[in-house]
Amino acid sequence: MRQIFSDNKKTFLFFLAFSLLFYGNSIKNGFCFDDSYVTVTNIPVKGKSYVPNHPLVAQGFKGIPKIWRSHYGHDKTSSYDYRPVVITLFAIEYAIFGQAPHINHFINILLYALVVFVLFLLLKKCFS
């Protein structure tokens, strides 16, 4: 893996630069859409600390095993969707950085650049 990265370092940096160019303006934003369902903290009751809306995200690393066995959303009558990677990343980020949408957006840009880089390498291998 290191060999692949070191041989293609300029290519990765190219994709990272373009990812930051196109999506870097999202770093300054807060959470949006359904992110707030999982991440935005409730206003604390006097004497209690902020807690994410999703109880498993609030547990940080301890909640990860249960995240992989549960659904994404719940309401009074049912549960729906299965997005363990998304909630796991939110839990890890919350455990390390706390409530930090800017760091979340930056990590998403890094992951996007990595996925584009891996896709490029795959296509390069397929068409060579």
Side-chain angles (χ1 to χ4, degrees):
M1 185 69 172
R2 279 189 176 190
Q3 183 67 31
I4 292 171
F5 181 74
S6 63
D7 290 346
N8 297 287
K9 191 184 304 186
K10 288 182 181 177
T11 306
F12 176 72
L13 292 174
F14 172 79
F15 288 126
L16 179 60
F18 268 89
S19 297
L20 285 168
L21 178 69
F22 291 130
Y23 298 108
N25 64 346
S26 70
I27 293 172
K28 68 183 183 326
N29 299 334
F31 290 117
C32 62
F33 301 121
D34 63 342
D35 294 347
S36 60
Y37 175 75
V38 177
T39 59
V40 172
T41 54
N42 297 316
I43 297 172
V45 177
K46 194 171 190 168
K48 294 185 180 180
S49 61
Y50 287 95
V51 178
N53 288 332
H54 196 290
L56 297 176
V57 171
Q59 293 177 16
F61 291 108
K62 289 188 238 172
I64 292 174
K66 193 166 182 187
I67 287 171
W68 285 82
R69 296 187 311 265
S70 63
H71 287 95
Y72 180 75
H74 307 277
D75 60 20
K76 292 179 183 175
T77 59
S78 64
S79 59
Y80 48 90
D81 291 339
Y82 180 68
R83 300 178 188 171
V85 174
V86 172
I87 301 176
T88 299
L89 286 174
F90 280 135
I92 291 169
E93 291 166 4
Y94 182 76
I96 296 171
F97 304 109
Q99 185 77 15
H102 312 301
I103 292 173
N104 175 270
H105 295 314
F106 181 72
I107 290 171
N108 285 343
I109 291 169
L110 291 178
L111 290 173
Y112 179 78
L114 183 65
V115 167
V116 171
F117 175 67
V118 170
L119 180 63
F120 172 78
L121 292 179
L122 179 68
L123 290 173
K124 184 177 167 184
K125 187 121 177 129
C126 286
F127 292 112
S128 64

